[in-house]
Amino acid sequence: MNYIFEFLISYLATLAFAYYFNCPKKSLFYTSLLGGTSWVVYSIMRNLQISYILSGVTSAFVIGLSSEFFARKLKMPATIFLIPGLVPLVPGAGMYYTMYYLIQQQYDSFQDKAIETLFLAGSLAAGVVVSSSIFKIISFYQQKNR
């Protein structure tokens, strides 16, 4: 698929989410940029046959570092950039199919999809935590050296 098209769709979805949840107008461009970029990073890695877990961690890591950077640059909380930036990566379809297979009593498919969805959600959380921790460690040592 065309990465430019995927970027635009993710950008617009993130923009709509951020606007709907009243993110500051000054941050809308940056949050949307993060959402589009995160999806393209994830999509490129998946097209290179890299596991969805590593793809999720990497794209969430990119979002985490970028949101910390934008938070410092624009003097806003990092969560303003972080939460909308993660929207394109949220495994909503995985959750839907997990419940669908459960209702249809297809327990093998249910188990596979549930594990995949939980691992993807966990990988997103891990990527954000690692990037936030690294940024805070770097900030701590920069303040200590001043």
Side-chain angles (χ1 to χ4, degrees):
M1 182 164 270
N2 188 355
Y3 294 124
I4 295 172
F5 178 71
E6 290 181 13
F7 175 82
L8 282 173
I9 295 299
S10 300
Y11 181 93
L12 292 174
T14 307
L15 179 65
F17 179 87
Y19 183 78
Y20 182 75
F21 285 100
N22 294 323
C23 287
K25 303 281 189 262
K26 187 168 117 177
S27 71
L28 291 178
F29 171 75
Y30 298 102
T31 57
S32 303
L33 187 66
L34 281 179
T37 304
S38 68
W39 178 257
V40 170
V41 168
Y42 180 79
S43 183
I44 288 171
M45 292 183 75
R46 291 299 294 144
N47 288 339
L48 294 173
Q49 304 296 321
I50 298 173
S51 77
Y52 63 92
I53 295 172
L54 185 57
S55 301
V57 167
T58 305
S59 55
F61 185 80
V62 168
I63 293 170
L65 284 181
S66 301
S67 64
E68 292 286 344
F69 173 76
F70 289 141
R72 301 298 187 274
K73 181 181 175 189
L74 299 173
K75 295 179 176 56
M76 295 180 172
T79 54
I80 289 176
F81 305 99
L82 183 66
I83 303 301
L86 284 171
V87 165
L89 299 173
V90 171
M95 290 181 241
Y96 170 80
Y97 284 111
T98 299
M99 290 298 106
Y100 176 79
Y101 292 137
L102 180 65
I103 290 169
Q104 295 296 320
Q105 297 178 351
Q106 298 175 7
Y107 297 118
D108 290 336
S109 299
F110 162 73
Q111 181 180 5
D112 293 341
K113 190 52 85 170
I115 290 170
E116 179 183 322
T117 303
L118 287 173
F119 280 161
L120 179 56
S123 70
L124 295 177
V128 169
V129 167
V130 168
S131 66
S132 247
S133 299
I134 288 172
F135 205 92
K136 288 186 192 308
I137 289 169
I138 291 169
S139 296
F140 174 77
Y141 282 114
Q142 284 178 345
Q143 287 178 349
K144 188 176 177 183
N145 290 335
R146 287 183 190 177

